[in-house]
Amino acid sequence: MDLDAPDSAATPSTPPSAFPGLNHAARLWLDKIAISATATSTATLARRCLTALTTLPSDVRMECFNRNVHLSTTLCLEFLGCSWMRDEHVNAGFDLVAQQLGPTSRVSFMLCWHLDILHGFRYGHDGTRDPFRTYNPSRPRYGDRAICLGYVDRVFVPAHVNGNHWTLFIVDIRQVSISYFDPMHPDALPPADKLSDLRWWLTGLLPGRLWPTVPTPVVAQVQSDGSSCGVVLLSSVASLLLGYPQWTQDTWREHRMEWFLRLTEFWHEDNLLSIEASDSVDENPTPVEEPDMAVLNDSNDPLEFDADKLDIPEETSQFLRL
Amino acid sequence: MKEQKPDVSSSQEAPQDLGSQETPLKRTDGKIQVTIAFHDQKTKLLMNPTTQFSKVFAKFYAATNAQAGTYKFIYNGIRIEPTSKPLDIEMGDEDDPEIMAVLEQVGGSV
């Protein structure tokens, strides 16, 4: 198909906004909690969420996250209730944790579709590729470079299993190990195909290692409801890395409200910073040449990245010079 | 390291041309051939390097009878913005660039 050729094919119409319905349902849910909660802190949380709803615009993309995350104000409402979590929620929550850890953090979060992309890249969508060939993309992909260069100690990789459940792989680069966290089945073994793809990827980035599985460092109460796995993932990782309260089944409502507030408040703060930055922008700025990649050292001075000047194992540097 | 890519032109499956049966699309008049892969389905399109991807996505949705927003489109591990163009993401530098379409994932576990 030539996109620039004349064509009368109709563009799919945009579906009607779900914002009014979700907003209404969220208010009902919060009102009920505010009235019936026995703990004062829970009722206060519900009232804070109700206040936040009054200033939440409809169908606006929340651009405070990295460019791979397309969470909207409408989707954010799904935290307030029993909705299942989408990939956008999980990606946004992990990106928030990453931003709170700061640029010097040695933790990396992969996107929810990372394992699917790896699988497609390894086998080919039609199954015609050789699965035993080395991971060798045309260009280093999202997250690859930092792992190759040794800037990352732990990598969190969300995994969507059985088409309806969120779980998590945690790669410990220093210990050269992989652990698996399933909020509902703590003793579950990692899905063999996803584990194999993950090892294939890691072996391509850091050759010569075996990547055995070890027990998970994530601590959380077992999920017994049918809707919380995404929130358990977010809260458990935030607890592990930021010291936030651990998720429990009794506090599932509180955790959902907390995540709604964290994400919307972060977005509002980012908007304020953007407005301040645009107000103080220099009308004739001096053009600055940006390096390929910048990392921060202990003194927060940006270091220009140059793969050719770094002492990297031969096979790794070969990968980076693609 | 030599890049390994599927040979689109010699692929067993016929390129999907969204309704018409033509020979595999190749670069013509400065346009680039883009393949959108979803599972075992490959959709090939010719586009101008300055055309916004929103147009490509709309065509893909129309061709696959899918609701707009059903897929996320990933190129070299990076999500493609509907407002970006092939030039913005250096897509024209690559032979037979392949975009991966990924379905939305939702989880709760019952």
Side-chain angles (χ1 to χ4, degrees):
Chain A
M1 163 175 277
D2 186 344
L3 284 178
D4 296 314
D7 181 38
S8 60
T11 302
S13 58
T14 308
S17 171
F19 187 88
L22 286 171
N23 193 29
H24 180 67
R27 283 177 185 282
L28 291 179
W29 188 73
L30 291 167
D31 282 337
K32 194 175 171 184
I33 292 173
I35 293 168
S36 63
T38 50
T40 311
S41 58
T42 304
T44 305
L45 261 182
R47 287 191 203 97
R48 280 178 60 201
C49 289
L50 282 164
T51 306
L53 283 182
T54 60
T55 57
L56 195 69
S58 168
D59 296 327
V60 176
R61 178 168 160 195
M62 300 168 75
E63 298 204 13
C64 50
F65 306 108
N66 75 51
R67 62 179 169 169
N68 291 295
V69 182
H70 292 192
L71 187 70
S72 67
T73 52
T74 304
L75 287 185
C76 202
L77 287 173
E78 294 184 331
F79 276 101
L80 302 174
C82 303
S83 296
W84 287 16
M85 293 288 97
R86 301 169 191 257
D87 42 20
E88 299 290 6
H89 297 120
V90 176
N91 287 336
F94 282 159
D95 192 60
L96 180 67
V97 173
Q99 293 196 45
Q100 290 184 341
L101 287 169
T104 56
S105 163
R106 296 184 61 83
V107 171
S108 177
F109 293 93
M110 303 311 292
L111 298 160
C112 287
W113 44 81
H114 180 64
L115 291 173
D116 283 351
I117 296 286
L118 278 183
H119 192 78
F121 187 60
R122 183 181 185 188
Y123 292 94
H125 289 279
D126 45 7
T128 55
R129 294 187 194 172
D130 173 15
F132 296 105
R133 79 192 204 290
T134 307
Y135 174 70
N136 176 25
S138 55
R139 298 172 196 169
R141 306 210 171 182
Y142 185 81
D144 289 359
R145 209 183 282 262
I147 295 171
C148 284
L149 293 174
Y151 295 147
V152 174
D153 290 338
R154 268 194 289 197
V155 186
F156 291 80
V157 186
H160 191 245
V161 298
N162 303 327
N164 63 0
H165 187 42
W166 288 114
T167 63
L168 183 70
F169 284 100
I170 303 164
V171 180
D172 191 321
I173 303 288
R174 282 177 177 251
Q175 300 294 324
V176 195
S177 64
I178 298 172
S179 57
Y180 180 66
F181 171 61
D182 184 329
M184 188 172 259
H185 310 287
D187 298 326
L189 293 172
D193 56 339
K194 293 188 187 300
L195 180 62
S196 173
D197 291 340
L198 189 61
R199 281 178 171 148
W200 176 73
W201 173 60
L202 291 166
T203 305
L205 296 179
L206 302 168
R209 308 175 197 195
L210 294 177
W211 303 104
T213 53
V214 297
T216 178
V218 176
V219 179
Q221 206 177 64
V222 177
Q223 170 202 356
S224 59
D225 65 17
S227 59
S228 288
C229 58
V231 179
V232 181
L233 240 58
L234 296 180
S235 291
S236 300
V237 169
S239 171
L240 181 73
L241 300 175
L242 298 169
Y244 286 1
Q246 285 179 9
W247 186 90
T248 64
Q249 189 62 66
D250 290 340
T251 56
W252 69 272
R253 293 177 188 84
E254 286 85 346
H255 278 267
R256 279 179 170 263
M257 289 188 283
E258 288 279 15
W259 277 107
F260 172 78
L261 288 171
R262 280 176 199 140
L263 294 167
T264 52
E265 285 171 0
F266 181 67
W267 177 58
H268 283 305
E269 286 166 15
D270 188 70
N271 278 347
L272 284 176
L273 288 173
S274 301
I275 292 167
E276 285 172 12
S278 62
D279 286 346
S280 61
V281 70
D282 186 354
E283 288 184 0
N284 298 307
T286 309
V288 178
E289 191 175 336
E290 292 187 5
D292 287 338
M293 176 180 169
V295 294
L296 297 177
N297 61 12
D298 292 339
S299 59
N300 280 354
D301 296 328
L303 298 170
E304 189 165 333
F305 165 72
D306 186 345
D308 292 334
K309 293 178 183 170
L310 293 170
D311 182 20
I312 306 164
E314 183 56 32
E315 59 273 48
T316 309
S317 58
Q318 191 179 23
F319 170 83
L320 285 167
R321 290 192 189 104
L322 280 169
Chain B
M1 195 176 289
K2 181 72 178 166
E3 184 183 332
Q4 294 182 5
K5 293 189 172 306
D7 184 358
V8 177
S9 60
S10 62
S11 173
Q12 291 296 313
E13 63 175 338
Q16 295 207 7
D17 190 21
L18 311 181
S20 65
Q21 298 297 320
E22 295 178 5
T23 53
L25 299 169
K26 282 291 170 191
R27 294 173 187 221
T28 54
D29 303 330
K31 291 179 180 175
I32 58 172
Q33 175 182 296
V34 176
T35 302
I36 300 182
F38 175 67
H39 291 311
D40 58 349
Q41 175 187 354
K42 289 193 174 185
T43 305
K44 295 182 188 297
L45 307 106
L46 272 180
M47 67 183 294
N48 193 307
T50 54
T51 300
Q52 286 196 351
F53 280 107
S54 55
K55 197 172 175 182
V56 178
F57 300 161
K59 294 283 184 185
F60 182 74
Y61 284 125
T64 55
N65 291 322
Q67 189 181 19
T70 308
Y71 298 100
K72 294 136 195 345
F73 298 95
I74 317 291
Y75 175 66
N76 273 341
I78 299 292
R79 189 162 176 181
I80 301 178
E81 296 277 355
T83 53
S84 64
K85 303 163 188 170
L87 272 181
D88 300 336
I89 56 174
E90 300 173 0
M91 186 175 264
D93 299 349
E94 202 168 352
D95 289 333
D96 297 325
E98 184 173 288
I99 296 171
M100 291 194 186
V102 183
L103 270 178
E104 180 174 61
Q105 300 170 328
V106 185
S109 190
V110 170

